[in-house]
Amino acid sequence: MFGRAPAGFVSSLLAALAVGACNGASTSPEDPVTDLRVEPEELFMLPGETLPLIARYVHESGRLTAAHDVVWVSYDSTVARVDQSGLVEGVTGGSTTVAAVSSDFADFATVEVDRLIGLEIQPEPIELLIGATQQLRVYESFQGGRMREVQGADWMSTRPGVAQVSSDGLVEAVSNGQATIVAQVDALFAEATVVVVVSGTWVEIASMPGEPVRAGHAAALDGRVYYIGGNVAFDTPTPFTYIYDPTTNTWTSGPDMPTARNWGTVAVANDRIHVIGGVNAGAPGNVDSRLFVNEAFDPLIQQWSTYAPMTFPRGGAAGDTLGGLIYVIGGSRGPLALDSVEVYDPAANAWSLAPALPHPLLVPATGSIGGRLYLAGGEGRPCCDARPELLWFESGGGGWSTAAPIPTPRAYAASAVLDGRLVVVGGATGGYGDILTAVEAYDPATNEWSRYRSLPVPTREASAAVVDGVLYVMGGRTGEGNTTRAFTFSW
């Protein structure tokens, strides 16, 4: 009779039997009761939730009849309690046994009460335009994965000048920036990130042809976007040239780059697209898989040509054109990050050195604005956290200076100059860090950063270029792998 009962439960059952003895099962000689059955055999519930158990007598014929005369007992009423109708109420996380007892029979059900592990705010994170509102709700989160909304939380904002929150969780975006909204229920807390953006519109355009690709080289010339090289599956460098025409929303293929590679430096000078250095362990003349090579594509004659190589092999270097010269900055050679800066003069087809960076740096965002070349974020060594600083170098100047740091430190981001501002898109918090959607733009006129609508998909190692006041972002690596997707961004 007690075979399924916990050892410490027997004394409770005996007490219940003393009551149950007065409540014997109604039976008849023709169809006697042979057993008692409690259903369901298992209950899964939350604290505060109530669910019924039902007791039935099993007759010799197999017939079931309601067992209204049983006594209900909980083995551990601190986990779940039961009333004499069989209604079970969860009290706190844990497991217990509930029994139905008559004078002759007993049966049991296992009751599992899910454990509360914390609070959660939804939706989270949220992105709002200035002046917009969003209702937040707070939920209890349980070990088994269930959620239950909670009323009466206390709400607060860490930065009410950016985002305010009402007593019932309604958030209002006040100014550009990021705030944390906190909800408290008893001794438990939950947080939600609110990003307030100025503006921004993303539109998905035709995907690139070919295999999904990352770490390629993008440039704009003569009203078209060029995507060159990059890394496809199994870290295979490619030589392909893809050309996007915004007027038709179509991609076509151009002549292959002579040296397949990824993580080179791309810049436009004298109506040619230069791809300099990069990574390809199988290429001739590589040092620690890094390249010296300097190749340029001339769209007018649809032809690649080779020019004077760099002094030092490197990949993952920043670069852009400033004052008619191409600057190749930092990068890496094998595991070694570099601080050296080389300058290419297209007219002389010759290289020289410029002032070194204040520290080694690779894969920062970059762009030249108003006679200055800017580097935002990037990764140093030892690996692998992204840096926050914004560095700039002035043509003819004596060295590097700092400006307002980027609000979201990152490396491996796409970047380009749009309407006199350096726009930084996506990236990662470091070599092995989180992949980002954040879009931030630096305005040299005010020395300030602003946040704009986020990239639709978290992406690192994408490439960007600007044509006719529109930013194009393509390729890269998402959480699901390399991609061929492409998007446009406008203010």
Side-chain angles (χ1 to χ4, degrees):
M1 174 177 173
F2 300 133
R4 292 173 53 204
F9 199 14
V10 174
S11 58
S12 299
L13 285 176
L14 291 174
L17 283 170
V19 178
C22 303
N23 301 320
S26 176
T27 186
S28 67
E30 294 81 13
D31 192 11
V33 172
T34 59
D35 201 0
L36 176 65
R37 181 183 300 171
V38 171
E39 295 177 333
E41 292 185 357
E42 294 180 308
L43 279 184
F44 299 92
M45 59 196 315
L46 301 181
E49 188 175 21
T50 56
L51 294 172
L53 291 174
I54 299 172
R56 293 188 175 92
Y57 287 118
V58 182
H59 293 260
E60 190 175 78
S61 66
R63 181 170 61 95
L64 300 176
T65 58
H68 296 299
D69 54 355
V70 296
V71 176
W72 292 93
V73 183
S74 171
Y75 173 61
D76 188 347
S77 59
T78 65
V79 173
R81 44 183 175 250
V82 62
D83 68 13
Q84 292 311 303
S85 70
L87 187 66
V88 180
E89 179 185 5
V91 178
T92 191
S95 178
T96 188
T97 301
V98 171
V101 183
S102 72
S103 59
D104 301 306
F105 304 101
D107 196 26
F108 313 91
T110 299
V111 178
E112 297 282 350
V113 182
D114 210 350
R115 297 182 188 276
L116 178 66
I117 58 175
L119 299 179
E120 185 173 313
I121 295 174
Q122 293 184 0
E124 197 282 330
I126 60 173
E127 187 172 274
L128 298 173
L129 292 171
I130 294 172
T133 60
Q134 172 71 56
Q135 180 66 55
L136 298 182
R137 304 187 188 279
V138 62
Y139 296 84
E140 292 176 318
S141 175
F142 292 89
Q143 194 171 50
R146 292 181 62 183
M147 308 282 289
R148 181 170 61 188
E149 187 174 356
V150 182
Q151 304 297 329
D154 294 322
W155 295 88
M156 65 161 288
S157 171
T158 60
R159 298 183 66 193
V162 173
Q164 299 175 349
V165 62
S166 69
S167 59
D168 62 353
L170 183 68
V171 174
E172 180 181 3
V174 178
S175 66
N176 189 229
Q178 181 172 308
T180 300
I181 304 299
V182 181
Q184 180 179 1
V185 178
D186 298 326
L188 297 177
F189 295 84
E191 295 183 351
T193 299
V194 177
V195 176
V196 181
V197 301
V198 176
S199 62
T201 300
W202 286 95
V203 176
E204 186 162 8
I205 59 175
S207 294
M208 290 189 292
E211 295 183 63
V213 62
R214 63 181 173 89
H217 319 94
L221 189 60
D222 295 334
R224 290 176 171 81
V225 176
Y226 294 79
Y227 186 94
I228 303 164
N231 231 8
V232 294
F234 307 109
D235 286 336
T236 304
T238 68
F240 306 126
T241 300
Y242 299 128
I243 306 167
Y244 178 77
D245 186 341
T247 64
T248 60
N249 188 30
T250 56
W251 292 87
T252 55
S253 294
D256 288 352
M257 181 168 52
T259 305
R261 65 190 118 151
N262 58 81
W263 284 127
T265 301
V266 62
V268 176
N270 293 347
D271 295 326
R272 292 189 295 264
I273 302 170
H274 285 258
V275 181
I276 303 169
V279 179
N280 184 347
N286 81 85
V287 177
D288 295 326
S289 79
R290 272 48 174 186
L291 305 176
F292 301 86
V293 67
N294 174 13
E295 297 167 342
F297 178 67
D298 187 336
L300 183 63
I301 60 174
Q302 289 288 294
Q303 181 174 307
W304 285 91
S305 300
T306 300
Y307 293 86
M310 284 189 295
T311 305
F312 304 103
R314 66 185 76 212
D320 205 348
T321 305
L322 182 65
L325 305 176
I326 297 176
Y327 287 76
V328 181
I329 306 158
S332 69
R333 189 179 72 192
L336 180 68
L338 304 175
D339 62 4
S340 58
V341 178
E342 295 191 60
V343 185
Y344 176 69
D345 183 345
N349 190 28
W351 289 88
S352 60
L353 291 176
L357 292 165
H359 51 74
L361 190 67
L362 64 152
V363 292
T366 183
S368 57
I369 307 169
R372 290 180 177 177
L373 197 154
Y374 292 88
L375 305 179
E379 184 179 283
R381 287 291 187 266
C383 184
C384 289
D385 292 335
R387 304 182 67 99
E389 67 259 33
L390 176 65
L391 302 172
W392 61 268
F393 174 85
E394 196 162 36
S395 180
W400 291 88
S401 301
T402 59
I406 187 168
T408 307
R410 66 184 87 183
Y412 306 96
S415 61
V417 174
L418 179 62
D419 296 335
R421 285 169 278 182
L422 175 63
V423 184
V424 183
V425 179
T429 55
Y432 303 102
D434 295 333
I435 303 177
L436 304 173
T437 60
V439 176
E440 291 164 336
Y442 174 73
D443 187 346
T446 60
N447 190 33
E448 292 180 344
W449 289 89
S450 298
R451 184 77 176 255
Y452 291 86
R453 281 286 191 195
S454 292
L455 185 66
V457 182
T459 309
R460 57 177 286 168
E461 302 169 64
S463 303
V466 171
V467 173
D468 295 333
V470 177
L471 176 72
Y472 293 81
V473 177
M474 66 226 75
R477 191 175 87 195
T478 70
E480 298 177 353
N482 292 354
T483 183
T484 59
R485 296 177 71 180
F487 300 87
T488 62
F489 171 84
S490 56
W491 303 118

